[in-house]
Every structure is written in C-alpha cells, then in structure tokens.
Amino acid sequence: MRSNDDFLSKKIVYGPEGDEIEVDPIRDYYCDAVPQVSKEYKRAYPGIIDRFKNWARSESIWILAYGSGCGAIEMRPLMTPKYDAYQYGIQWRPTPRQANLLMVSGYLSLKTLRIVIRAYEQMPSPKYVMGLGSCTINGGMYYDSYNTINRLDYYLPVDVYVAGCMPRPESLLDGLELLKKLIREGQGLGADIYAEKFEWYKANQKKILKSWNMPDYSW
Amino acid sequence: MISLKQDRSKFPVRGDDGQLIIDRESGQFSELFLGPVHPGMTGNMSLEMLIQGDEIMKAKTHVGYLHRGFEKLMERRRFIQCFPICVRIAVPEPDFNEYLLAATIEELAGIEVPDAAQWMRTLLLEMSRLQSYLAWIGGQGSSFGLGLIGQWTIWARDLVLDRFEEITGGRIYHMHMPPGGVRSLLPDGFRGRMRETLDTIEQVMKDVDKALFQNSVYKTRSIGLGYIDPSMVDRWGITGPNARGAGVARDVRKDYPYLKYPELDFEVAVGKDSDAYTRADVRRRDLLTTVDLIRQILERIPDSGEFMAKVPNVLHWKIPRGETYKRAECTRGEYGYYTVTDGSGYPRRINVRGPSYTHAVTLLEKMIVNVNLADAAGLMSSLHTYPPEIER
Amino acid sequence: MQQILDALKQSVMIEDVRTQRDDLIFITVSETQAVSAITHLRDRANFTHLVILTAVDWLEDGLFQLTYLLNNPVEKTDIGVRVMIDREKARMESIHHLWPAAATYQRELREMFGISFPGSPRVNETFILDEGWDGPPPYRRDFDTLKYSEETYFPRPGRSTNDPAEYMKSMLYPEVDND
C-alpha cells in the first residue's frame, strides 16, 4: 500500500458541502521549503545570552526513543536507577517533535535510513546526532553487507561517535558528557550544517535510496 | 460483577458470504501506519492497519528494517569467523546462536564436547534465558501502560549481566562457546555471588507478581486477548510459551534433550486458556523454573577438568560435506540452525530459524483482527516477537 | 522410521536416503513428486509440523536444493525432504494449502533466491529488502556482496583485509612469493 503511486498522485476530494477540491499531495500535504540556517550560525563571538542558551540546552537533552539497531539493548539500562541518565537532565521522548538528540544505535539498513531521515528532519532545531557503535563509523562488522550503510556522516551531520560493539552504558554517559561540552562551547551546529550542505546530503541519500517516494524535506 | 470477557459478536458488519464490507467512501474506515518509531512496537517492525472506529479489521506486517544479510555474510567468512557475527542475530539472547552454531559444526566434524564444558554451556544458556525473561516482563508491562515493572526487572537483569561479565568478559555478547567446548570454567567465588543474585531476583518477582499479575487493569485488558486454538499450533508453526499457553506441552529441553538437561529435574509450565494473561503466567513460571535450574547446576558443575576438546587449526579447518539441523529452546520458542557444508573452508549455507518467523508475520496478521487499537501493542508483546530473527 | 520409508516408497520414488542422527533422515525426491510425498508424510505418517523451508545454491551443478524439514511431534523425529530444481527456471509448487505458515518462507525464497511459487499468497510483494532494490536476488552465489557494498555505500578509506590464513602464510613463509 505504501509504495503505490496512487497515494501520491493528484486527486479530487469533496468538501463537506460537496464542492470539489483538487489536491496534489506532494505539493499540498508537504511543504517544499528547504531548511534555512539560523542567524546564530557562525557567529564570531558568543555573547552572554548565547552562552546561557547553550548551557540550558546542554543540561536538558531529550532523546528520541528509537532503538534502530543492536545498540538499543544498551540504551534501556540507562533509564533504570543503576546508571540513571535522568539525573543529567536526559529524557527519552516518543515523538521527534519533542526530541533534540537522535541516537543512531548501530547499523542502519536502507529501510531504517528512510525512517531516520524523516525523523531527523522533523525534529526542531537545534538538534544533534550521536552515532553509537562502530557501525556508524566505518560499517563495523557489516562492512560488506549489501543492505547496510558504511558511513553515517554522509547522510546526516554527526556530532559525537561512541565506539564499541556495543558500548557499555558508562561509555554512553561519557559520550553524552562530551556532547554537553561541545554544546556549551557552541559547537552543536548539526542542524545548520545540514541546512548549509543540504544538496550534498540529499544527493547521497538519493543515491542509495533508489525509490524515493517521500517529500524532499519532511518539515 | 464485572465480566472479564468482552463480547464483540455483533461487530464488524459482514455481508452474506461472511466477508467484511469495507466501504472506503463512508468515512468509517481509516488506514493507520503503526511504524517502527512508535514506543508500543516490540522492536523494529511496522503494522499497516485498517481500522473501523476503535477496532482493527486487517493488518499487514512490514519487516526488513534490520536486514543485514547474515547468511550471505557468513558464506564469506571461515567457520571460526562466523561466531562474532552470528551472535548479533537475536540480540536479547545471543548465547543460543553460539551454542547452535558450535553444535552443528561439532556434529558435522565429529567432535565430542567434554563433560565440564557441557555443564558450563548449560549454565550459560539458562542464565541467558533468565535475563531475556526479565526483559520481556518489562516490555509486557510497558505495553499495557505499567512502566514501573520495566524499571524493576531491567535493573534486576543488570545484575545477571554483571555475573556474565565475570565469567566471559562481556555484558551482552559473550563468544564463550567455540566449537569444541568453552573458553573457561567458573571464576572463584562465583557461586556465592550468583546465589545472591538469584535471591534478589526472587524478591523482585514477588513484587512483580503483586504489581502486574494481580493488577485489575492488566487482568481486564489481557484476559481474552489473542486466543490461540490448540489445533492451530501445528499448522501455523507455533512453538514455545505461545503453544504451551494453549495447552500443547512442547519443550525442546524435554522432547529432544541436549546438553545436560536429561540429568536435571524440572517441570514444563503449561497453561489452559490461551490468552495473553495465561501466556504471561506461563513465562513467569518458566522464569522461576530457570532460577531453580541454575541453583541445581551450581551444585553440580565441576570446578576443574578438561573444557576444550582437540580441534584442528581453526583457520584452515575443512569440514566434510554434509547437512544437519539442531534446535534449542529459547524464551520465544524453538530456535534452529540448519547448516550445510561442502568440504571447503567456508560454510555453504547457514539458515537460522527464529521462532518469531512464524509468530510475527502470518500468526499476528490473523490474530489481530477485531482487537482494540489500544491493545495491539499488548498483543504483539504477548507473542514475544522480536524482528531481528525474522529478517536476520 | 524404516516402515515409514517403505510405505512412502510405494507411491513415490525416493532417490537417496541419508541418516544423519537417530531422529533425522534426509531423503531426496524428484521435483514432480515432492508435494505428493510431503502430503503423504503429513497425512499418513504424522509429520504434522513444518519446521523450515530453505534453499541451498549449488552454483557448480546449476541446481537449487530446496529442503523441507518436517517434524513428527509425537514420535519426536525429523525428516528432511530435499528437492533439486533447475537454477535457470526456478519454480516449485506452493504448499501453502498444507501449512499457512509456509507462505512466509516462500515469500522470502522468492525475494532472496528468485524461486517462484505460483499461487502462494502475497508472494510477489517486497518482504525483507528495501522497495527500491533493483539488483539480482542477493542470496545467489554469483552476487558479490563486497563489490556491491564498496561501489554503492561510501566506504571509509583505511580498511585493509585481514584474512587470517594469508597473514599466517606471510608470517611463516615470508620468502615464498605467492601471487
């Protein structure tokens, strides 16, 4: 059902009083604006307000609760009292609209890459991406698989990599600590890098996802 | 008195031939895609559903979000190089993959595993089942909205993972069972620490029993949900606690004994009404049986002895031509490995049969008809499906 | 077991019998008689549980081997029915009317090997692979997955191969020049 063309083709819908409305789903249901860089991007010197904003962002990282690969099994113990990520202000949210960190927990197969791109684009700026495990760095042990990607940073702008297979929960907390340090220094600029090099990221994504039945930018 | 069974006999509206009348223009039916990011899904699977109001009429399962082509990758690697990769097929219980791959290779190459190694393998498999059942109870509670149960059981599971780390060096993936035996026996003082962990787990299970199994919300929602008829077990390929909840007593540890199970004393938990509540109860009793089995093994496992048989140089190992199938009982059902060798140093074909292969695709699509939308997550979790072993 | 095979031999020609363990036997039947052999085993010999349906690619002989593994839950024995089919025109009769669960196995075989099972429900939909997959069926032995991965997905430079046999050879016999 999902990949049929009649979902995305033009059709005629009837309003409540019987009037005809012509609808073109790609144009009308989705916005075709491309992402813009924010005004704070590449500011020469962060002022007091920016430093305060960056400190507040670093102390309340909300993660999208999506375990897209093997690494999800070591994300779950972080929510329990033994490792307790909640004491650092980190929460897990079910929807991308309320999240600002996307943890790509391991390898990404092609179908999951579609989901992850749409989830990343639906997150509000400023947003960060953390790659968990060696599979995001260079393909890991699935380097010769025909269905998994080899480098995550060609498709999404990554801020922190945590190596391991799987990394222990303590290494995850270490990686989150590094991410907080980066945000406080003003280096958490993934969303603006994505907006700046949008053409390049999209070309890479479209090269491997051959049947592109999604809008170019899921707002 | 509140009736615990739900009467849905007049819905949905059917025509004269018994088929559903689906009228898309009437506005009564809508399509919903329950995708992999949804917190109610067990693992990375998605359901494309047609719902009428609050009830699901039809569903299609979409899998493939975790496909890595394991069987193709294993053909490119030598036998000993297949071990690190085969554990990643079923992430909650990786030890079954190691044991079954080692067992099929040993059977084809004609290697006998020494006694102490067989005790060690039994201990590792039982500990793996224990931590998988604990994670499942957490997932089952969360699917019905009771998130606190997950916090208790996953904390308890961490204690078992610490014990694993003492023996093997890794929390999740152990790589402790190469073909020919195991890598080492028990460290010093292990028995005392393991018995403390088992006592803690029994305490946690008492709390879980009160909070989950005697919870009136859980009972109302899960009794009557997902009924499996005993005659469906053979036709739809159902194994494990799903079949035992329906009254069909099948357990690979009793029917096709392997390792040291013939010398251990345990009973198989069987349920009568096969709904979600009974299956959860069967799994709870299985968990307590596993705790008891570990206590028995700890008393009888030898402290020293030969634990590795003589195998030829594993890098140049050529196994004679043949094929075989071996099975083991994991928490979800019957796990099997079908191995074909052709006399060269690389395996010809290794096919992994995960129990969720039959549960999650054809069985789920049949059982989810007429289920309330809010209970769909609970139904999926009560079948204990886990997508990586469907698409490997 | 022997009387089951004798009863089966009366209606079906069995080409080859191999005993792997006490409770596991592999028999080979021809393509046209396979479904009737399986039906006989299910209805008259009580092998009511279908465990697995797989395929093995014998590229050198130009054949696919389909293995139907059946299980008798009362006697606790297994029997594996092997069928060799041609690799170019790979098709086989579907058995989804015997076991509804077989439809899933047949979907996967159609997608991964290219064996067609006409009549099986939903067999031509994409199941495991991505919907934009336009290459050959990936589990066939003539599909080189390393080459495909290097060309399509951008590999990070710096990875060298670590085949242990080659390394040992170069350590033990450094003076031998092997191409």
Side-chain angles (χ1 to χ4, degrees):
Chain A
M1 255 195 262
R2 297 290 303 163
S3 52
N4 284 353
D5 294 312
D6 54 295
F7 176 71
L8 296 174
S9 56
K10 300 190 174 59
K11 46 177 161 270
I12 302 204
V13 210
Y14 293 95
E17 277 138 24
D19 46 338
E20 287 186 4
I21 309 172
E22 217 185 271
V23 164
D24 177 12
I26 287 278
R27 194 196 64 208
D28 292 329
Y29 292 165
Y30 305 102
C31 176
D32 57 356
V34 290
Q36 312 284 335
V37 298
S38 72
K39 298 188 191 46
E40 306 170 352
Y41 186 43
K42 286 202 176 138
R43 197 176 286 211
Y45 180 70
I48 294 278
I49 304 282
D50 290 319
R51 296 221 309 257
F52 176 70
K53 277 199 230 172
N54 284 337
W55 174 86
R57 281 169 191 152
S58 77
E59 294 293 336
S60 70
I61 297 182
W62 286 13
I63 306 184
L64 173 64
Y66 178 41
S68 69
C70 315
I73 201 88
E74 291 282 38
M75 254 210 303
R76 185 68 180 86
L78 279 179
M79 304 183 208
T80 61
K82 188 167 187 207
Y83 298 105
D84 201 10
Y86 284 75
Q87 65 183 319
Y88 299 110
I90 298 173
Q91 287 192 25
W92 272 265
R93 306 302 298 170
T95 140
R97 300 287 192 199
Q98 296 172 358
N100 72 351
L101 170 64
L102 176 70
M103 257 210 226
V104 177
S105 45
Y107 61 91
L108 278 185
S109 66
L110 291 183
K111 272 187 171 180
T112 316
L113 184 63
R114 283 175 204 264
I115 308 277
V116 161
I117 291 174
R118 293 193 81 169
Y120 177 75
E121 289 173 352
Q122 285 175 2
M123 283 160 63
S125 297
K127 49 195 171 183
Y128 321 105
V129 174
M130 183 149 130
L132 224 68
S134 328
C135 293
T136 51
I137 303 179
N138 61 356
M141 62 172 58
Y142 311 115
Y143 71 100
D144 53 349
S145 164
Y146 53 88
N147 206 35
T148 59
I149 63 173
N150 274 343
R151 290 182 72 157
L152 182 59
D153 57 350
Y154 267 49
Y155 312 101
L156 290 178
V158 182
D159 295 299
V160 174
Y161 289 105
V162 181
C165 192
M166 342 270 67
R168 293 180 58 111
E170 286 99 340
S171 333
L172 273 181
L173 288 176
D174 200 29
L176 285 165
E177 202 54 39
L178 176 63
L179 179 66
K180 280 162 60 168
K181 193 160 81 81
L182 285 179
I183 298 175
R184 274 197 289 261
E185 290 167 4
Q187 301 293 324
L189 300 167
D192 295 321
I193 296 179
Y194 192 68
E196 201 183 35
K197 306 203 310 193
F198 187 65
E199 316 302 340
W200 182 70
Y201 281 118
K202 262 313 146 187
N204 289 345
Q205 289 164 13
K206 284 194 177 168
K207 174 175 186 243
I208 62 168
L209 295 174
K210 299 198 175 107
S211 135
W212 188 266
N213 56 355
M214 335 194 267
D216 270 2
Y217 186 59
S218 313
W219 224 41
Chain B
M1 174 147 123
I2 305 175
S3 153
L4 290 173
K5 286 210 185 308
Q6 297 155 338
D7 176 33
R8 297 176 178 274
S9 43
K10 46 187 173 62
F11 291 110
V13 180
R14 290 183 187 268
D16 292 326
D17 54 353
Q19 298 291 329
L20 277 179
I21 306 178
I22 297 184
D23 180 16
R24 300 298 303 273
E25 304 293 320
S26 68
Q28 279 190 349
F29 294 90
S30 47
E31 284 180 17
L32 198 60
F33 191 82
L34 189 63
V37 188
H38 196 277
M41 302 295 296
T42 49
N44 251 349
M45 206 164 71
S46 56
L47 272 183
E48 196 184 338
M49 307 190 285
L50 182 74
I51 56 178
Q52 181 189 26
D54 212 15
E55 286 191 37
I56 303 176
M57 298 286 121
K58 279 207 282 203
K60 276 197 205 178
T61 323
H62 290 276
V63 291
Y65 294 96
L66 296 164
H67 177 63
R68 290 154 274 179
F70 270 109
E71 301 169 2
K72 186 85 186 174
L73 295 183
M74 289 209 259
E75 286 174 17
R76 283 197 65 234
R77 287 158 166 75
R78 293 170 193 268
F79 287 102
I80 195 69
Q81 289 175 312
C82 287
F83 278 85
I85 219 179
C86 80
V87 262
R88 269 106 179 137
I89 295 181
V91 178
E93 314 159 273
D95 296 89
F96 287 90
N97 291 292
E98 283 180 66
Y99 160 64
L100 284 171
L101 187 58
T104 47
I105 292 179
E106 282 155 11
E107 186 179 306
L108 288 173
I111 298 177
E112 275 286 322
V113 178
D115 202 51
Q118 289 194 7
W119 279 111
M120 194 65 192
R121 283 185 175 183
T122 318
L123 176 67
L124 285 174
L125 286 184
E126 283 300 312
M127 280 166 70
S128 186
R129 297 190 73 208
L130 178 63
Q131 54 102 5
S132 176
Y133 273 135
L134 284 172
W136 174 81
I137 292 186
Q140 171 81 325
S142 312
S143 303
F144 282 100
L146 309 165
L148 182 58
I149 317 279
Q151 301 290 91
W152 291 338
T153 56
I154 301 222
W155 168 77
R157 175 181 171 260
D158 256 348
L159 302 174
V160 179
L161 292 181
D162 283 342
R163 298 288 88 78
F164 263 124
E165 199 177 353
E166 280 180 27
I167 310 179
T168 68
R171 277 164 55 100
I172 312 269
Y173 300 125
H174 310 126
M175 251 76 75
H176 205 70
M177 302 191 221
V182 290
R183 272 197 291 135
S184 72
L185 291 178
L186 295 179
D188 294 328
F190 180 79
R191 287 189 175 86
R193 290 191 286 265
M194 190 72 203
R195 288 188 180 120
E196 272 176 35
T197 310
L198 292 177
D199 291 334
T200 315
I201 290 182
E202 284 182 336
Q203 274 296 340
V204 167
M205 283 312 291
K206 286 198 182 96
D207 287 334
V208 166
D209 195 26
K210 277 189 222 144
L212 184 70
F213 289 94
Q214 297 169 20
N215 188 333
S216 62
V217 169
Y218 179 63
K219 279 169 112 161
T220 318
R221 285 179 79 177
S222 65
I223 290 186
L225 177 70
Y227 176 72
I228 297 183
D229 198 64
S231 65
M232 282 165 65
V233 169
D234 272 335
R235 296 194 63 216
W236 297 82
I238 309 178
T239 52
N242 291 338
R244 277 184 260 144
V248 179
R250 292 204 191 152
D251 188 333
V252 180
R253 302 175 289 175
K254 289 273 194 209
D255 296 339
Y256 310 89
Y258 54 101
L259 290 177
K260 286 292 182 188
Y261 286 109
E263 303 183 22
L264 295 171
D265 175 35
F266 63 101
E267 289 207 355
V268 168
V270 181
K272 227 169 13 97
D273 348 292
S274 72
D275 49 19
Y277 186 77
T278 316
R279 290 195 283 268
D281 198 46
V282 162
R283 289 181 177 113
R284 179 186 64 90
R285 281 185 281 154
D286 257 345
L287 203 167
L288 297 173
T289 310
T290 303
V291 170
D292 190 44
L293 272 174
I294 297 181
R295 283 194 211 273
Q296 286 181 33
I297 297 175
L298 282 179
E299 281 167 27
R300 303 172 60 171
I301 185 169
D303 267 328
S304 61
E306 202 186 308
F307 51 83
M308 189 79 178
K310 284 219 83 52
V311 295
N313 187 348
V314 290
L315 297 173
H316 302 277
W317 201 359
K318 294 191 183 356
I319 295 185
R321 192 174 164 130
E323 56 192 334
T324 180
Y325 179 78
K326 270 232 169 267
R327 40 163 71 93
E329 173 87 8
C330 77
T331 45
R332 289 180 292 273
E334 169 192 319
Y335 209 94
Y337 259 63
Y338 172 74
T339 315
V340 181
T341 51
D342 59 358
S344 74
Y346 297 85
R348 187 90 203 186
R349 175 107 169 99
I350 298 182
N351 194 337
V352 179
R353 188 235 185 239
S356 306
Y357 197 88
T358 42
H359 296 168
V361 184
T362 37
L363 182 67
L364 181 65
E365 289 176 6
K366 180 176 160 66
M367 277 175 41
I368 209 164
V369 176
N370 286 350
V371 166
N372 202 341
L373 183 61
D375 290 334
L379 174 65
M380 268 189 290
S381 160
S382 95
L383 289 178
H384 202 174
T385 60
Y386 205 72
E389 56 198 15
I390 305 176
E391 69 248 3
R392 293 164 300 249
Chain C
M1 266 307 211
Q2 198 46 43
Q3 59 233 69
I4 299 179
L5 288 180
D6 291 333
L8 185 58
K9 271 199 187 99
Q10 295 178 356
S11 49
V12 169
M13 189 180 76
I14 302 183
E15 295 168 14
D16 176 47
V17 176
R18 208 172 50 81
T19 310
Q20 174 70 22
R21 291 196 293 262
D22 305 336
D23 54 355
L24 178 57
I25 295 185
F26 284 98
I27 65 177
T28 312
V29 297
S30 76
E31 197 178 325
T32 43
Q33 300 183 313
V35 179
S36 63
I38 293 172
T39 318
H40 172 103
L41 285 171
R42 184 188 82 137
D43 295 330
R44 302 217 205 112
N46 271 332
F47 283 93
T48 50
H49 188 101
L50 173 73
V51 180
I52 197 172
L53 160 57
T54 52
V56 184
D57 188 351
W58 298 102
L59 180 61
E60 314 80 51
D61 307 329
L63 296 172
F64 278 136
Q65 171 196 323
L66 286 177
T67 310
Y68 296 78
L69 203 73
L70 307 176
N71 171 266
N72 186 339
V74 173
E75 308 273 325
K76 312 210 185 357
T77 50
D78 294 297
I79 191 165
V81 180
R82 303 162 44 160
V83 183
M84 310 300 261
I85 61 178
D86 187 52
R87 204 164 176 275
E88 303 302 316
K89 327 185 298 305
R91 50 181 285 146
M92 182 67 198
E93 259 181 84
S94 158
I95 58 165
H96 69 276
H97 54 280
L98 300 174
W99 287 280
T104 318
Y105 293 109
Q106 289 172 175
R107 273 173 89 182
E108 185 191 347
L109 286 183
R110 209 270 323 158
E111 197 170 24
M112 293 298 177
F113 282 96
I115 305 175
S116 72
F117 292 90
S120 185
R122 290 175 66 193
V123 78
N124 285 323
E125 287 181 12
T126 50
F127 180 42
I128 291 179
L129 294 176
D130 187 43
E131 55 209 8
W133 177 262
D134 53 0
Y139 277 6
R140 292 192 172 204
R141 276 186 89 87
D142 44 3
F143 174 69
D144 190 350
T145 171
L146 178 62
K147 191 162 78 81
Y148 184 86
S149 165
E150 277 174 359
E151 286 168 5
T152 333
Y153 310 112
F154 316 94
R156 197 179 279 263
R159 182 183 274 278
S160 55
T161 177
N162 288 323
D163 186 36
E166 301 294 325
Y167 177 72
M168 270 182 73
K169 241 192 259 182
S170 67
M171 286 278 122
L172 289 175
Y173 311 108
E175 65 273 3
V176 173
D177 190 75
N178 36 3
D179 293 317

